[in-house]
Amino acid sequence: MKQITKKLNHICLILFAGGTMLFSGCSEDFLKPDPLSFYEPTATFSSESGLKSALAICDRHLKLYWMTDHNEMLTVGTEYLFSELMVAAATDKRSMLCDVANMLTPTSDNSSLNNLDRTNSLWYFWDETYTGIKYANTIIQFVDAVESLDETTKNIYKGRAYFHRAYRYMALVFQYGDIPLVTKILEVPKQNYRSTRRDAILQMLTRDMEFAVQWVPDQKDMSQIGMVNRGACRMLLAKCYLAIGEYAKAREQTDILINESGFSLMTNNFGTFNDGGEPQTWPVTRNVIWDLHRAENKLIPANREVIMGMPNRGSDAESFVKMLTMRILYPFLFDTRLQTKDGKQALLNLRRNHADYNAKYDYMRAFGRGIATWRPTYFQTHALWYVNGVMDATDLRHSSETGNWVRMEDYRVNNKASSEFGKPVSLFDDNGKLLCSDTIRRWFDVPHYVFYLDDPVNDANISGSDGNRGATNGGIADWYLYRLAEAYLLRAEAKYYMNENDATIRDDLNILRQRAQCSQLYTGAVTIGDIMNERARELYWEEWRNVELTRVSLCLARSGKPDEWGNTYSLGNFDQQSGTDDGGGSYWYQRIVKYGMYNKGAVQINSTGNSNPNFTMDKKNLYWPIPNAAITANNKGELSQNYGYDGYDPATPKWETWEDAVADEDKIL
């Protein structure tokens, strides 16, 4: 993998990203002839081995959206803070992105990878997504020149590259709206780009994915797991069809995935049973939801539900990266800021090599040493789980009885110096005094079945530091990109836009609820809110929540169908509004303010950093600002800034079709 990376980094592939007009490795020194390293891209990619190298980089780059930023997973966390399900929680950092309405500007982006004080990864989604597009464009541009390949093989390479490019553009158009369309590898810098309309780009992606579905093989016909397969292409094509309003075609693709592609929902226990690391502290009763989310089960042949996953298990540090879910997504508990009623520290870091060690109370080993970079909203941990007005008590995805879910009241005081030893931790004492100084960061429930990851190497170290003594941070783990469960949710969505009264919509939701052993099933008419709620229950930390909410906002505006409150949206202005009041805006905004933690007022906490966090979101934040550095670097052209941000000008010209944008790419001033 290292040699592949070096090979690509030597190639001067030009595109602007985050304010620069170059790709890493393209310096003035590179332009000087050097017989030891200088070569032409046409030579590098004239053989199949060069194409394989580029495709391997595409695959590896894809998983970095979940596992980057010094392994802190800030990228996917950033996606979730622009939703109703999570907010930033690193209250020791004054730069915490909470007051989004006022903090997010075209110049607020911090693109320093090594700045560990960053609390979001907006920079990554602009810079690195265009980098991923560049990798895909490399394959698309050079594959036809590889004379040793037949046309079928060339089309397979193209189809996989189209998937990688479409996946990234699908993210960009729902994060940034109208953006520059880059489809070629240029020999000289281009500084006269123009933005292309979102819908035009979506039309191009749809065409590309139709090609990919035709040529990319099914997983059953492939020897490798983790490469792009036809099922993944169908899933992405279904989303493209939904986005452009071709709802019947979207349903057709999901029908094929569900009925004809060899996939099936996992409804029984399978694979390896992982007991959760410390069963004396936190016993897990084996169940299908737990098995489904274990890293060792995600990509095995017995798992018929996985459509495409991202392999990330092994000892090669260059190829595999840790996912610190147990570090950044669990509450920050092990210090004096969570106390007992008699004034003692409630939860201690127990060490297995101490004489008085008691495995019954080793919460750090069972749940990790959380620091809560992000925290879930009350909606995600509580209100979301009501169906038919009833809290579903048997849903395995919300079950502490099985061990899948950890509630704060499940912790027991493990400090023997306290008279509360062995009793549940308390938020208040008997007089109503708050015993937790920072409830944003230190008091919330966790979907343990999603976030628990093994770390066998550190688990064998019983005397090391906190970070090397058990699976206290997380581990190296395979991850899902697409599961069949999402195909049912997409089919329900397509049916809703075609006919919101279709009684079979609830069947697609209920099959997932039945698998989760829910007691509450949908019986009446289903709303788009019900569909999005089921997505939140089923795909937490798998889907890109902000992208999906924005895509659905476009679909509602295009279809004219109502949301769960009866609101309808206009395609002409759903994304052209600003303000922090309750009315108007997009469906994305309505869910954030009605269900989430935004625009509720400042929160008073006792913190050395952001001691008075005010979580705000503006209607204009549906789209993020185009980075000012990218606009200024494009100094011979004019990029369009998004509505509501400094520099916005509705008169800025844009390409109305993707064909015109592509034709302009060779016109360099």
Side-chain angles (χ1 to χ4, degrees):
M1 185 64 71
K2 183 179 296 184
Q3 294 304 314
I4 295 171
T5 304
K6 287 181 178 178
K7 180 181 287 187
L8 286 176
N9 281 349
H10 277 121
I11 301 172
C12 193
L13 306 179
I14 308 300
L15 90 102
F16 64 91
T20 62
M21 290 293 294
L22 49 86
F23 173 48
S24 60
C26 297
S27 63
E28 291 184 3
D29 290 340
F30 171 80
L31 298 177
K32 299 175 182 178
D34 178 355
L36 296 179
S37 63
F38 185 81
Y39 60 89
E40 293 294 329
T42 52
T44 301
F45 298 108
S46 63
S47 66
E48 187 174 12
S49 62
L51 296 178
K52 286 182 177 179
S53 297
L55 192 59
I57 288 292
C58 286
D59 292 336
R60 184 178 191 277
H61 183 268
L62 187 63
K63 71 184 177 186
L64 291 179
Y65 283 110
W66 280 260
M67 317 160 216
T68 190
D69 293 336
H70 300 272
N71 301 325
E72 291 188 53
M73 304 182 77
L74 292 179
T75 39
V76 68
T78 300
E79 259 287 303
Y80 273 80
L81 76 83
F82 285 87
S83 81
E84 80 282 45
L85 302 182
M86 292 186 109
V87 293
T91 52
D92 62 329
K93 299 177 181 179
R94 296 188 183 277
S95 60
M96 181 178 76
L97 186 57
C98 55
D99 186 12
V100 181
N102 296 303
M103 295 174 69
L104 185 59
T105 71
T107 58
S108 64
D109 183 33
N110 184 343
S111 60
S112 173
L113 177 61
N114 295 317
N115 178 5
L116 292 180
D117 192 51
R118 283 187 302 103
T119 58
N120 67 85
S121 269
L122 287 170
W123 75 273
Y124 192 96
F125 286 110
W126 183 266
D127 287 26
E128 283 300 314
T129 304
Y130 271 113
T131 296
I133 289 167
K134 174 188 61 213
Y135 294 146
N137 284 340
T138 302
I139 300 168
I140 295 166
Q141 183 158 323
F142 289 101
V143 64
D144 283 331
V146 181
E147 297 179 356
S148 63
L149 300 180
D150 58 35
E151 287 304 307
T152 296
T153 305
K154 288 179 181 179
N155 288 340
I156 291 172
Y157 274 106
K158 286 180 186 177
R160 287 182 168 136
Y162 281 148
F163 174 89
H164 280 290
R165 188 169 72 179
Y167 188 92
R168 289 159 176 81
Y169 268 124
M170 182 69 84
L172 284 176
V173 297
F174 289 119
Q175 291 168 334
Y176 293 97
D178 300 337
I179 54 171
L181 181 62
V182 182
T183 68
K184 299 177 181 179
I185 303 301
L186 303 179
E187 295 180 359
V188 295
K190 180 178 175 66
Q191 297 172 293
N192 62 323
Y193 279 96
R194 180 187 295 184
S195 300
T196 301
R197 295 284 185 187
R198 172 202 62 214
D199 287 0
I201 295 175
L202 288 170
Q203 291 289 341
M204 186 194 79
L205 304 186
T206 303
R207 181 210 64 161
D208 291 348
M209 293 316 302
E210 288 172 339
F211 179 95
V213 165
Q214 180 181 357
W215 291 103
V216 175
D218 285 310
Q219 181 63 60
K220 63 180 175 59
D221 299 322
M222 295 164 51
S223 60
Q224 292 177 292
I225 294 176
M227 293 181 67
V228 176
N229 59 57
R230 182 172 294 168
C233 294
R234 279 198 200 283
M235 188 78 87
L236 187 51
L237 177 58
K239 292 186 180 186
C240 289
Y241 280 144
L242 287 172
I244 66 173
E246 295 279 3
Y247 309 126
K249 290 183 178 180
R251 176 176 178 174
E252 180 184 13
Q253 293 302 314
T254 55
D255 281 341
I256 294 172
L257 280 168
I258 293 167
N259 300 323
E260 302 175 24
S261 297
F263 303 109
S264 59
L265 292 180
M266 301 304 295
T267 57
N268 297 304
N269 299 339
F270 71 98
T272 301
F273 174 56
N274 185 318
D275 65 8
E278 187 45 86
Q280 293 186 67
T281 308
W282 189 250
V284 174
T285 302
R286 189 173 188 182
N287 60 87
V288 65
I289 296 297
W290 178 262
D291 283 350
L292 187 65
H293 288 272
R294 302 285 53 79
E296 54 267 37
N297 295 338
K298 288 184 176 180
L299 301 187
I300 62 175
N303 186 350
R304 303 304 304 158
E305 185 165 337
V306 58
I307 292 176
M308 182 176 171
M310 295 169 284
N312 185 56
R313 303 183 76 214
S315 58
D316 183 357
E318 181 72 20
S319 301
F320 304 102
V321 291
K322 285 189 175 182
M323 301 180 70
L324 303 189
T325 51
M326 298 172 72
R327 179 69 168 157
I328 67 168
L329 296 169
Y330 285 71
F332 193 166
L333 299 176
F334 301 100
D335 66 14
T336 59
R337 282 168 281 194
L338 178 60
Q339 295 192 335
T340 61
K341 294 179 180 179
D342 57 357
K344 303 294 193 302
Q345 181 175 331
L347 295 172
L348 302 178
N349 167 17
L350 304 181
R351 295 180 180 273
R352 281 181 282 166
N353 60 337
H354 282 197
D356 61 348
Y357 174 78
N358 187 341
K360 183 178 179 180
Y361 299 106
D362 192 353
Y363 294 111
M364 184 175 285
R365 187 172 180 228
F367 304 143
R369 57 180 191 128
I371 58 171
T373 302
W374 323 102
R375 67 149 292 147
T377 61
Y378 182 85
F379 173 75
Q380 197 280 331
T381 58
H382 292 81
L384 175 64
W385 303 94
Y386 280 81
V387 174
N388 301 325
V390 177
M391 171 67 79
D392 197 311
T394 63
D395 192 331
L396 288 174
R397 300 165 300 183
H398 194 232
S399 168
S400 61
E401 289 76 14
T402 60
N404 287 355
W405 190 276
V406 179
R407 294 172 170 81
M408 286 304 301
E409 55 265 32
D410 294 323
Y411 291 89
R412 299 295 188 267
V413 174
N414 67 0
N415 186 350
K416 292 182 179 179
S418 171
S419 61
E420 298 289 307
F421 177 74
K423 297 180 180 180
V425 295
S426 299
L427 185 57
F428 299 96
D429 69 11
D430 294 338
N431 297 316
K433 177 186 175 182
L434 190 65
L435 298 175
C436 177
S437 64
D438 182 353
T439 56
I440 294 293
R441 197 173 194 184
R442 302 171 191 278
W443 195 274
F444 56 84
D445 301 344
V446 173
H448 187 55
Y449 72 97
V450 177
F451 296 151
Y452 173 75
L453 298 177
D454 267 337
D455 186 352
V457 174
N458 283 332
D459 194 56
N461 181 3
I462 67 171
S463 60
S465 65
D466 288 350
N468 296 284
R469 191 177 50 77
T472 53
N473 287 341
I476 293 171
D478 296 339
W479 213 252
Y480 291 123
L481 185 70
Y482 292 140
R483 284 190 289 125
L484 187 64
E486 186 176 7
Y488 283 96
L489 292 162
L490 291 175
R491 186 167 71 175
E493 194 183 330
K495 292 176 182 177
Y496 182 82
Y497 302 135
M498 295 167 66
N499 175 14
E500 69 268 36
N501 296 314
D502 184 342
T504 68
I505 298 174
R506 61 175 176 259
D507 297 335
D508 288 331
L509 305 187
N510 283 339
I511 193 170
L512 302 182
R513 297 190 61 76
Q514 288 166 335
R515 188 263 293 276
Q517 298 181 16
C518 296
S519 58
Q520 297 296 317
L521 301 179
Y522 292 104
T523 57
V526 171
T527 69
I528 190 65
D530 295 324
I531 297 171
M532 295 309 292
N533 287 351
E534 203 61 42
R535 284 191 71 96
R537 299 179 192 112
E538 184 67 28
L539 301 176
Y540 192 56
W541 210 250
E542 288 182 46
E543 66 171 345
W544 289 21
R545 185 64 178 181
N546 167 65
V547 164
E548 293 299 326
L549 280 175
T550 305
R551 179 188 60 76
V552 172
S553 297
L554 172 63
C555 291
L556 286 176
R558 197 186 298 281
S559 68
K561 299 301 182 181
D563 65 17
E564 57 262 44
W565 304 286
N567 302 321
T568 56
Y569 300 89
S570 168
L571 194 59
N573 71 356
F574 83 100
D575 56 357
Q576 299 285 305
Q577 300 179 49
S578 61
T580 58
D581 56 288
D582 293 341
S586 59
Y587 181 62
W588 168 89
Y589 181 76
Q590 285 299 309
R591 283 191 70 98
I592 280 177
V593 297
K594 284 184 167 63
Y595 296 144
M597 288 177 59
Y598 289 103
N599 301 353
K600 304 293 194 296
V603 181
Q604 297 289 337
I605 61 174
N606 181 16
S607 171
T608 57
N610 199 329
S611 59
N612 188 30
N614 188 15
F615 294 95
T616 67
M617 192 71 75
D618 196 296
K619 298 169 190 174
K620 69 182 181 184
N621 299 140
L622 171 72
Y623 291 136
W624 303 340
I626 305 299
N628 186 67
I631 291 176
T632 56
N634 190 56
N635 56 25
K636 295 180 181 178
E638 192 173 5
L639 297 184
S640 174
Q641 183 55 270
N642 282 325
Y643 176 88
Y645 298 103
D646 290 343
Y648 169 71
D649 182 355
T652 302
K654 302 177 184 180
W655 296 117
E656 300 292 334
T657 70
W658 65 266
E659 293 92 344
D660 287 341
V662 170
D664 180 72
E665 285 190 80
D666 292 325
K667 298 176 182 178
I668 299 173
L669 299 179

